[in-house]
Amino acid sequence: MISSDIMRGYNDIIILSILNSEDNYGYAISQTIEKISDGNYTIKETTLYSALNRLEKKGYILSYDGTKTFGRARTYFKITELGKIYLREKVEEWKLTREVINNFMEEYNG
């Protein structure tokens, strides 16, 4: 299991990458995270909704009411064009970060 401290800085990019594929609601996003990580990362509900609120305030995602379940409309989230730009920037940043960390790991293991 990966520590939530390590993942904290990547929650936004994880959520945006999921929403880049399709609009979704909170519970489904958390299930997708767990599935894609092979169960190695489970996002806490409070962490997920804090991130969704932050992303919406920054204009990276929009929320809207979707299908009704148990009498209430589910809140769905959709990535915006600004969110797609931000995601691309963060993916490039991640590639560089991964390269730098890999260099240190190779040095350590070398």
Side-chain angles (χ1 to χ4, degrees), residues 1-107:
M1 182 76 67
I2 299 173
S3 162
S4 60
D5 288 338
I6 291 174
M7 297 302 289
R8 184 175 298 126
Y10 301 103
N11 285 326
D12 289 359
I13 193 173
I14 290 168
I15 293 166
L16 289 172
S17 68
I18 291 168
L19 293 176
N20 196 46
S21 297
E22 66 179 331
D23 297 3
N24 228 322
Y25 58 97
Y27 180 75
I29 293 169
S30 68
Q31 293 301 297
T32 301
I33 290 170
E34 193 165 342
K35 179 181 175 190
I36 291 173
S37 72
D38 292 326
N40 290 307
Y41 179 53
T42 303
I43 192 167
K44 294 177 185 170
E45 187 176 341
T46 54
T47 302
L48 174 62
Y49 284 98
S50 292
L52 289 168
N53 286 330
R54 181 177 56 254
L55 290 167
E56 189 167 27
K57 284 180 183 174
K58 290 182 176 183
Y60 299 149
I61 63 172
L62 294 173
S63 62
Y64 63 92
D65 289 338
T67 56
K68 287 191 176 187
T69 55
F70 303 107
R72 290 182 40 200
R74 264 193 185 133
T75 301
Y76 278 77
F77 298 92
K78 172 186 180 82
I79 192 169
T80 64
E81 286 305 314
L82 185 60
K84 290 178 182 184
I85 293 168
Y86 179 73
L87 177 60
R88 279 192 296 273
E89 291 170 358
K90 292 311 234 177
V91 166
E92 290 305 313
E93 182 181 280
W94 164 247
K95 289 176 183 176
L96 180 58
T97 301
R98 182 178 58 196
E99 183 180 320
V100 169
I101 296 300
N102 282 341
N103 289 340
F104 281 100
M105 295 300 111
E106 288 172 12
E107 185 69 27

